[in-house]
Amino acid sequence: MEFDKRQAVAKEWRISEAQLLTVAAAGGSIGIGTGMLVKWHKVRKPRFLILIPLFILINLSALRYLMREE
């Protein structure tokens, strides 16, 4: 998120929203969510405001499932 924010300010090449959301869905949701808040980046995008918290819940649920004791 920091890199994309710097690129946006400099009007340079950017990381696509689809790539950022893919990283979030693949397990990087906490990092993307933290980056959104710390760098105040993508916080006005409804897609990010809905999907990132959803991905956080899904990622944490998957982690809990994988770490369960049998």
Side-chain angles (χ1 to χ4, degrees), residues 30-67:
I30 293 175
I32 296 284
T34 302
M36 284 176 63
L37 296 174
V38 170
K39 291 300 175 181
W40 209 245
H41 189 53
K42 301 285 187 195
V43 294
R44 293 188 208 158
K45 300 278 185 171
R47 185 171 14 172
F48 279 80
L49 291 176
I50 293 166
L51 290 177
I52 298 304
L54 178 63
F55 290 153
I56 289 172
L57 291 174
I58 292 169
N59 290 170
L60 290 176
S61 296
L63 182 61
R64 182 176 181 194
Y65 175 78
L66 292 171
M67 297 191 66

Side-chain angles (χ1 to χ4, degrees), residues 8-43:
V9 170
K11 298 190 186 313
E12 299 278 332
W13 172 87
R14 308 269 309 277
I15 300 169
S16 74
E17 289 185 1
Q19 287 175 319
L20 292 171
L21 290 171
T22 300
V23 168
S29 58
I30 293 175
I32 296 284
T34 302
M36 284 176 63
L37 296 174
V38 170
K39 291 300 175 181
W40 209 245
H41 189 53
K42 301 285 187 195
V43 294

